Amino acid sequence: MEGLRRLIIGVLLVTPVGVLAGSASAFFLWALDRATTLRFENGWLLFLLPLAGAGIAWVYHSYGNGAERGNNLLIDEIHQPGGGVPARITPLVLGGTLITHLFGGSAGREGTAVQMGGGLASAFATLARIPEKYRRMLLMAGVAAGFGSVFGTPLAGAIFAMEVLTLGRVQYDMLIPCMVAALVGDFTCTAWGAHHTRMLIAGPLMGDHSMLAGMDLSLLAKVAIAGVAFGLCARLFSSAGHGISAAFTRYVPRFWLRPVIGGVVVIALTYLLGTREYLGLGTVALNLGDTTTTSVFFEGGADTWSWFWKLLFTVVTLGAGFKGGEVTPLFFIGGALGNTLAGLLGMPVDLAAGLGFVAVFAGASNTPLACTLMGIELFGAQHAIFFAVACWLSYQFSGHSGIYSAQRIASRKDGA
Amino acid sequence: MEGLRRLIIGVLLVTPVGVLAGSASAFFLWALDRATTLRFENGWLLFLLPLAGAGIAWVYHSYGNGAERGNNLLIDEIHQPGGGVPARITPLVLGGTLITHLFGGSAGREGTAVQMGGGLASAFATLARIPEKYRRMLLMAGVAAGFGSVFGTPLAGAIFAMEVLTLGRVQYDMLIPCMVAALVGDFTCTAWGAHHTRMLIAGPLMGDHSMLAGMDLSLLAKVAIAGVAFGLCARLFSSAGHGISAAFTRYVPRFWLRPVIGGVVVIALTYLLGTREYLGLGTVALNLGDTTTTSVFFEGGADTWSWFWKLLFTVVTLGAGFKGGEVTPLFFIGGALGNTLAGLLGMPVDLAAGLGFVAVFAGASNTPLACTLMGIELFGAQHAIFFAVACWLSYQFSGHSGIYSAQRIASRKDGA
């Protein structure tokens, strides 16, 4: 009965967190759309990127109170409650991300959604005077609701919150609260009118036999090779990100100068390549021929090196101190790499892009299970096995330093 | 590089295990079909059930060498290698299960497939002189391949092998070997011409919005209530099974007399109820109106208490010492309970039956994640959220003593 009581209390406590995080995600998605449109309409905004970066850095430096550690702060506080997650993380990361996108930085959404969720959970816990012992649950619920609502994938959101904390392990004790929070968050976000891009992979519907019956074994081998490539790409992303960040910290002691330099590099890269397609989220584009997270599903929808350029733009943007998440750029990078690999390996472009979407992120964040479920939630079950193979191989080959440095290690990948 | 070497060795080593386990599953499925047909054609076989039980008990007693501990032996040997898994477990469990089904005992398949897989893995390791350090991996691969191939759900098989060992935790170190073994096993089994019953749940295809958009919140609430009921049913199944087994051990010192009494009880129950529908696997039936794992998906396809009778038949059969697994009876029990709940709660019969299929097993075996994926593999992704909610709530309410008593506990469900 004690268990039942705890469960009911848990459900009651995480429901408001889900509503708050889902509402925040809905507003965030709407505002992000507006920011992107404004940027498209006013091309000159890009030139203010260095200045915008200095502004973000200054605000975080003056008022951050630890919030600049972002997702890592959340992971640490869930593992070992310390100073708590400051409520101000919510407006800070929201504002920082919108400014990053308005002026053309290359960044994503999940970090923002997750930090807003965590910040709101923390604020709710303080205002409603929730006892200390429930803090961990509320923070995890905030992460699950933020992630689940911003992508419209509640199942993946719930598993993500449990999987991201520790490399190589899923612990079940917060399963139900995370699930409830993610469902409530997604429902709330949808109820506000937010919608998510749906993608489709053409493919045979499930037959009356095993899914592997009639499966092309050579296709499975190609998927495995692609999975390894996605893992190595994730490894490159993580280490480039950590490297740039470390280099900035070491060689540019003036904190506000870092995003200024980063912004200038982004502008320079833009003019060097002669295209603006690697700026911003990458879900929509100004020109018809530009690469986006949608175009990568079609033949010719990405150039051979599109994945690399987006990777470079993103690690420079985030490493310099701009705000936002990594997931949407990783979708872009993975999808574009999949598009390229499809040509090299001779496999369907839409399948390869879909695999890259989830598998690069799986490797970079060390969450292969959440990403397998995300693939199923985004693209349906008929390719479930391919998603699993690609995500798990990517995880296996992405190394131990993912994008979240606060992640603990429960089980090493090399069996050591 | 050490990690890569281990991975390649792992893949090479588990591939033959997958082929062996998949072939064994194919033969087992074929022989099971034959045994069931023979039983249908010769109704008098049921009267020999007590004698058959005595025979199984005698063979296991004389030649078992530990094999009678079945799945629990495997779980223990994976946790802590001891005396090893005797190769004879494979013919013993295969023969015992076929005899159980030929004479009308109510039992399933997964225990048999998993033990055959483990036994074959062990035999392979001994014959090929595989170093001791790979034994754990090979045993887990045998479990994954056995489970994945007998049900045609490789993804669920791989996760099952990692999830069943410890309650409340999935550990990732054997992810790739389990995945490879399950895929190879399923492919091999299918290549032999074995096929699995496919079930369909009618339902809206995924729209262009979030899966929860347009989702009936009241339906979600009903799914949650059903999930709790499935968990309580799983709890009843596990404790009744342990109770009957303990009572036999305590009050019937003569080991061979136990299945004789069990067989007599099954015959008595059959004549008391005046139906043979609760004998055997329950996937096919002799009479048109009988309840089966297929009929439960249709309105009127199960009586109000069908689930309870199948539960009783199964715990008596297995508790008395007959052989076979628990999964297919749990499919039957869950599906029939879902059928009943559909009427009570006012929800679609096919959905409720499908949820019961995977959720009762999720609770009884403490593998909610494998069962969520199994639901997706069997029924497609459009109901993924419902499967997750039902499986996780069932897990939450099924208590700590699942059907596998050797399972370790990593994280208690009541948060204690």
Side-chain angles (χ1 to χ4, degrees):
Chain A
M1 281 305 95
E2 171 59 19
L4 185 62
R5 218 187 103 244
R6 283 179 83 102
L7 188 71
I8 292 171
I9 292 177
V11 168
L12 291 178
L13 286 182
V14 302
T15 300
V17 173
V19 172
L20 290 171
S23 302
S25 287
F27 174 76
F28 174 50
L29 288 172
W30 172 84
L32 211 49
D33 256 4
R34 294 291 310 135
T36 304
T37 309
L38 269 173
R39 177 167 64 82
F40 282 169
E41 289 167 358
N42 304 281
W44 51 269
L45 283 170
L46 177 62
F47 301 108
L48 299 183
L49 184 64
L51 197 66
I56 295 173
W58 182 79
V59 172
Y60 262 89
H61 187 80
S62 311
Y63 305 104
N65 196 16
E68 60 279 2
R69 293 196 52 236
N71 287 2
N72 288 319
L73 173 66
L74 277 171
I75 294 175
D76 276 342
E77 285 292 324
I78 292 172
H79 273 299
Q80 182 101 52
V85 175
R88 65 184 69 175
I89 197 174
T90 303
L92 280 173
V93 76
L94 176 63
T97 306
L98 289 174
I99 289 173
T100 298
H101 279 96
L102 178 63
F103 295 97
S106 170
R109 300 175 285 196
E110 113 290 348
T112 313
V114 159
Q115 289 168 45
M116 288 196 300
L120 289 166
S122 184
F124 166 72
T126 306
L127 289 175
R129 302 192 186 179
I130 310 291
E132 201 59 47
K133 62 176 172 174
Y134 294 114
R135 293 290 167 102
R136 177 165 168 267
M137 180 184 75
L138 290 176
L139 282 179
M140 287 179 72
V143 171
F147 190 99
S149 61
V150 83
F151 295 115
T153 56
L155 220 61
I159 301 277
F160 178 82
M162 295 193 301
E163 196 179 25
V164 74
L165 302 171
T166 310
L167 189 152
R169 180 184 293 175
V170 180
Q171 193 94 10
Y172 284 9
D173 54 348
M174 292 299 162
L175 208 92
I176 304 284
C178 287
M179 186 74 190
V180 171
L183 284 170
V184 171
D186 183 42
F187 187 82
T188 305
C189 186
T190 309
W192 281 109
H195 50 88
H196 312 280
T197 323
R198 280 272 163 232
M199 287 130 304
L200 274 179
I201 299 179
L205 285 170
M206 257 199 316
D208 59 340
H209 272 254
S210 159
M211 277 202 250
L212 274 171
M215 177 189 276
D216 197 343
L217 266 195
S218 75
L219 182 56
L220 186 61
K222 289 170 184 172
V223 169
I225 295 170
V228 174
F230 293 139
L232 297 175
C233 174
R235 189 173 202 148
L236 178 64
F237 183 90
S238 301
S239 37
H242 294 311
I244 286 181
S245 186
F248 268 124
T249 310
R250 182 158 175 197
Y251 299 111
V252 187
R254 286 197 180 73
F255 70 89
W256 56 266
L257 193 57
R258 296 169 197 159
V260 171
I261 296 174
V264 170
V265 173
V266 168
I267 296 172
L269 280 169
T270 303
Y271 279 85
L272 203 69
L273 295 173
T275 171
R276 292 185 168 222
E277 62 193 317
Y278 303 117
L279 300 175
L281 263 184
T283 52
V284 283
L286 205 50
N287 303 309
L288 200 64
D290 283 355
T291 304
T292 65
T293 52
T294 308
S295 80
V296 294
F297 286 85
F298 300 93
E299 235 177 292
D303 297 330
T304 308
W305 297 101
S306 292
W307 66 272
F308 176 77
W309 295 120
K310 184 66 179 174
L311 189 153
L312 192 60
F313 272 77
T314 308
V315 293
V316 168
T317 300
L318 294 176
F322 287 92
K323 295 297 158 186
E326 285 94 349
V327 178
T328 312
L330 285 171
F331 281 174
F332 187 116
I333 295 163
L337 178 56
N339 192 296
T340 300
L341 289 173
L344 289 175
L345 297 169
M347 59 193 289
V349 171
D350 52 356
L351 177 62
L355 293 172
F357 240 61
V358 291
V360 174
F361 175 47
S365 61
N366 291 311
T367 59
L369 209 48
C371 290
T372 300
L373 283 166
M374 189 175 211
I376 292 171
E377 285 186 287
L378 289 175
F379 303 107
Q382 71 266 39
H383 301 291
I385 288 171
F386 291 145
F387 286 121
V389 169
C391 285
W392 293 358
L393 276 169
S394 172
Y395 165 81
Q396 194 70 37
F397 282 86
S398 69
H400 289 89
S401 318
I403 48 178
Y404 309 125
S405 52
Q407 216 166 38
R408 310 291 197 268
I409 296 183
S411 145
R412 289 189 60 86
K413 299 175 184 179
D414 49 14
Chain B
M1 281 304 97
E2 172 58 20
L4 185 61
R5 218 188 103 247
R6 284 179 81 102
L7 187 71
I8 291 171
I9 292 176
V11 169
L12 291 177
L13 286 181
V14 301
T15 300
V17 173
V19 172
L20 290 170
S23 302
S25 287
F27 175 75
F28 174 50
L29 288 172
W30 172 83
L32 211 50
D33 255 4
R34 294 290 310 134
T36 303
T37 308
L38 268 174
R39 177 168 63 83
F40 282 168
E41 290 168 356
N42 304 282
W44 51 268
L45 283 170
L46 176 62
F47 302 107
L48 299 181
L49 184 64
L51 197 67
I56 295 173
W58 183 79
V59 172
Y60 261 89
H61 187 79
S62 310
Y63 305 104
N65 197 15
E68 59 280 1
R69 295 195 51 235
N71 287 2
N72 288 318
L73 174 66
L74 278 172
I75 294 174
D76 276 341
E77 285 292 324
I78 293 171
H79 274 298
Q80 182 102 50
V85 175
R88 64 184 70 175
I89 199 174
T90 303
L92 281 172
V93 76
L94 176 62
T97 305
L98 290 175
I99 289 173
T100 298
H101 279 96
L102 179 63
F103 295 96
S106 170
R109 300 175 288 197
E110 113 291 348
T112 314
V114 160
Q115 289 168 45
M116 288 196 301
L120 289 166
S122 184
F124 167 73
T126 306
L127 289 176
R129 303 193 184 177
I130 310 291
E132 202 59 47
K133 63 176 173 175
Y134 295 113
R135 293 288 167 102
R136 178 166 168 266
M137 178 183 77
L138 289 176
L139 282 180
M140 288 181 71
V143 170
F147 190 100
S149 61
V150 84
F151 294 116
T153 55
L155 220 60
I159 301 277
F160 178 82
M162 296 193 301
E163 195 179 26
V164 74
L165 302 170
T166 309
L167 190 153
R169 180 185 293 173
V170 180
Q171 193 96 11
Y172 284 9
D173 53 348
M174 291 298 161
L175 209 92
I176 303 284
C178 286
M179 185 74 189
V180 171
L183 284 171
V184 171
D186 183 44
F187 187 82
T188 305
C189 187
T190 309
W192 280 107
H195 50 89
H196 313 280
T197 324
R198 281 270 164 235
M199 288 130 304
L200 274 179
I201 299 179
L205 286 169
M206 256 198 317
D208 58 339
H209 272 253
S210 159
M211 281 202 249
L212 275 173
M215 177 189 277
D216 197 342
L217 266 195
S218 75
L219 183 56
L220 186 61
K222 289 168 186 175
V223 169
I225 294 169
V228 174
F230 294 138
L232 297 175
C233 174
R235 189 173 202 150
L236 177 64
F237 183 90
S238 300
S239 36
H242 293 312
I244 286 182
S245 186
F248 269 123
T249 310
R250 183 157 173 196
Y251 298 111
V252 188
R254 286 196 180 75
F255 68 88
W256 55 267
L257 193 57
R258 294 168 198 159
V260 172
I261 296 175
V264 170
V265 172
V266 166
I267 296 172
L269 280 170
T270 302
Y271 279 87
L272 203 71
L273 294 174
T275 172
R276 292 185 167 223
E277 62 194 316
Y278 303 117
L279 301 174
L281 264 184
T283 52
V284 284
L286 206 48
N287 303 309
L288 200 63
D290 283 355
T291 305
T292 65
T293 51
T294 308
S295 79
V296 295
F297 287 86
F298 301 93
E299 234 175 295
D303 298 329
T304 309
W305 296 101
S306 293
W307 67 272
F308 176 77
W309 296 120
K310 185 66 179 173
L311 188 153
L312 191 61
F313 272 77
T314 308
V315 292
V316 168
T317 301
L318 294 175
F322 286 92
K323 297 295 158 186
E326 285 93 351
V327 178
T328 313
L330 287 171
F331 281 176
F332 187 116
I333 295 163
L337 179 56
N339 191 296
T340 299
L341 289 173
L344 288 175
L345 297 171
M347 58 193 289
V349 170
D350 52 355
L351 177 63
L355 294 172
F357 241 61
V358 291
V360 174
F361 176 47
S365 61
N366 291 312
T367 59
L369 207 50
C371 290
T372 301
L373 284 166
M374 189 174 210
I376 292 169
E377 284 185 287
L378 289 175
F379 304 107
Q382 71 267 41
H383 302 290
I385 288 170
F386 291 145
F387 286 120
V389 169
C391 286
W392 293 359
L393 276 170
S394 173
Y395 165 82
Q396 194 70 34
F397 281 86
S398 69
H400 290 88
S401 319
I403 49 178
Y404 309 124
S405 51
Q407 215 167 39
R408 310 289 198 271
I409 296 182
S411 143
R412 289 189 59 86
K413 298 175 184 180
D414 49 14

